[in-house]
Amino acid sequence: MEQLLSIGAEALRKAALNEDAKAYVLNNEALYKLMKKAADRYIGGENLSENLIKVQDSNDTGFKCSIQYMGESTRSIMQAAKATDTLTGLHNWLLYR
C-alpha cells in the first residue's frame, strides 16, 4: 500500500508541474475524480477557502495543522503578485482570527 501511495504522490507532483499534464487531467472527468480522491488525502482543498474550512474542522477535532500555499503554477509577475496577496491574507487571517 505504501508503494502505491508513493507512486500516486509522485504522479501528483509531476502533474502539478507539467501544464500539459495538468490540462489533460483537468479535462478528463474520470481521471480528474481519481486524482482528486488521491490528492484529498494530502491537500486541504482546491482553494484557500476550502483549505481554511478543512483546517478549522481538523482543529475542532484536536488535530494541529500546517498550511502550505504552493505556487507551482505561478508563471508571471501578475500571478506572483496575486499569490503574494493571497499569502498575506492568509497570514492576517491566522494572526487576527
Side-chain angles (χ1 to χ4, degrees):
M1 183 64 156
E2 288 301 317
Q3 182 180 10
L4 185 57
L5 289 173
S6 293
I7 292 169
E10 181 61 26
L12 290 171
R13 274 190 289 279
K14 286 182 180 179
L17 296 172
N18 182 315
E19 295 298 326
D20 291 334
K22 191 184 306 184
Y24 179 79
V25 169
L26 291 173
N27 291 310
N28 183 314
E29 185 178 351
L31 185 55
Y32 174 77
K33 285 181 180 179
L34 177 67
M35 296 292 277
K36 179 153 177 24
K37 186 174 182 178
D40 281 345
R41 179 175 177 172
Y42 301 101
I43 64 169
E46 291 190 41
N47 57 53
L48 188 55
S49 297
E50 287 180 13
N51 188 274
L52 295 176
I53 291 167
K54 196 167 186 178
V55 166
Q56 187 64 57
D57 290 346
S58 295
N59 287 162
D60 291 346
T61 58
F63 291 98
K64 294 184 179 186
C65 300
S66 65
I67 298 174
Q68 297 178 355
Y69 183 74
M70 300 172 68
E72 67 267 357
S73 294
T74 302
R75 303 277 191 262
S76 71
I77 292 173
M78 185 182 293
Q79 289 173 324
K82 185 177 177 185
T84 300
D85 290 344
T86 299
L87 190 55
T88 302
L90 171 61
H91 172 265
N92 291 334
W93 180 85
L94 290 169
L95 189 61
Y96 299 111
R97 67 181 178 126

